[in-house]
Amino acid sequence: METVRKWVQVIIGFLTNSSWSFPFTNAIYQGPLKVICAPGLNCYSCPAATTYCPMGSIQQLLGGLRFALENGQYYFGFSVFGTIGVLGGLFGRMICGWACPFGFIQELLHKIPSKKFAIPRILSYGKYMFLLVFVVVLPLVLVDEFGSGSPWFCKFVCPAGTLEAGLPMLLLQPNLRNSLGLLFLNKFVIMTIFLIWAVFSSRPFCRTACPLGAFYALFGKVRLIKLHLDEAKCTNCKACHHVCPMGVKFNESPDDPECISCLACMNKACQFDAISLEIGGIPLATPSKGMSPVGKS
Amino acid sequence: MSQAGHDLRKKRPIRKAPFVVISIFLIFWMIGVATGEPARVLEQAIQVCLSCIGIG
């Protein structure tokens, strides 16, 4: 199943970044596919991006809301919130585990042999702050003399944007290098910190700072597809604790907002068939290992 | 339907909350489409936002 997940990550990463003419055009894709929302965090200024980033779009729409309202345009971000809300209601943070290119990059970095460190649970609340403050409040409230707000998360934090868009654009358009300043230095340092941290800890950006992950986390209890714990079969052996890339203690918190449904606990850890994948309450898959709660060998 | 399959469905009732949530956000999406928002999103997405990516 892990191989299937990796292939799904590669295919979705390719589908959301499938415009490979940029080495010849030195520009980003500008076709009609960009009306489609990327399920994961994928900067739309990436030269290969063929979809839009929901977090980038929400900030742009909210930043331009005053100007839009003055012109009779009601661009509150309903279509973007609607799209990621439907995705959240269907999959929740399964998107993070299966369809986010930046999550995939962090997973690959974490495979580099090194000493590994856990991430304190309290840091996971940081991403809700980024969602509320940097994506919603600041673009709405702090506006310039023309009434336009800035995309604060993209501008000052997003390491995915620096890696997928900033650096490639600097390579493609050398004249942009003259514009580099403190803003880029700040974002480059943040990107470097998260990429190095990803070697030592599993998915640090997803767990501590990703606003899209925070949004999908809100659907932890109500998403259609999720993992189910059969408490009658669970022996509380805690094997699921050791394989979870998100630090979830599944037997203690089966609806944990951090769960990305990578299925590692179900396939790699649980020997008692206590964990299954379900759709709306109906079991979809339960690995049969032929063990009973009293029959562990 | 097999007895095993029947038992599984009896054990776990279908959860209705996801369908309610999905329906609400589907309505959000339709409102956004009705106000012409996707055209604005496309307009923004096809331009390189230099300050967004840390340049300029």
Side-chain angles (χ1 to χ4, degrees), chain A residues 134-147:
Chain A
F134 279 66
V135 174
V136 178
V137 176
L138 291 178
L140 263 179
V141 175
L142 290 186
V143 293
D144 59 20
E145 65 268 31
F146 305 108

Side-chain angles (χ1 to χ4, degrees), chain A residues 178-195:
Chain A
N178 301 327
S179 310
L180 294 182
L182 280 177
L183 188 62
F184 185 78
L185 181 67
N186 162 65
K187 284 200 59 173
F188 187 79
V189 168
I190 290 173
M191 180 199 74
T192 307
I193 288 170
F194 276 113
L195 293 183

Side-chain angles (χ1 to χ4, degrees), chain A residues 175-181 184, chain B residues 50 54-56:
Chain A
N175 57 319
L176 289 178
R177 294 172 199 167
N178 301 327
S179 310
L180 294 182
F184 185 78
Chain B
L50 291 177
I55 303 169

Side-chain angles (χ1 to χ4, degrees), chain A residues 28 30-31 34-35 45 52 57 60 75-79 81-83 85-86 90 151 154-155 165 179 183-184 187 219 222-224 226 228 276 278 280-281, chain B residues 8-9 12-15 17-19 21-22 25-26 28-29 31-33 35-38 40-42 44-56:
Chain A
I28 65 169
Q30 296 183 311
K34 270 205 168 158
V35 79
S45 291
Y52 73 82
S57 286
Q60 293 279 12
Y75 298 153
F76 290 96
F78 275 112
S79 67
F81 277 117
T83 306
V86 169
L90 286 168
C154 299
K155 191 171 180 177
S179 310
L183 188 62
F184 185 78
K187 284 200 59 173
F219 298 83
V222 296
R223 59 180 162 146
L224 189 70
K226 66 189 190 81
H228 171 80
S276 60
E278 61 154 53
Chain B
L8 281 170
R9 278 159 183 75
R12 297 188 210 170
I14 291 176
R15 292 184 291 114
F19 298 101
V21 169
I22 291 166
F25 280 100
L26 208 52
F28 273 33
W29 180 78
I31 293 170
V33 171
T35 57
E37 215 174 73
R40 178 68 187 132
V41 169
L42 179 64
Q44 290 166 340
I46 60 174
Q47 294 167 10
V48 180
C49 173
L50 291 177
S51 65
C52 304
I53 57 176
I55 303 169

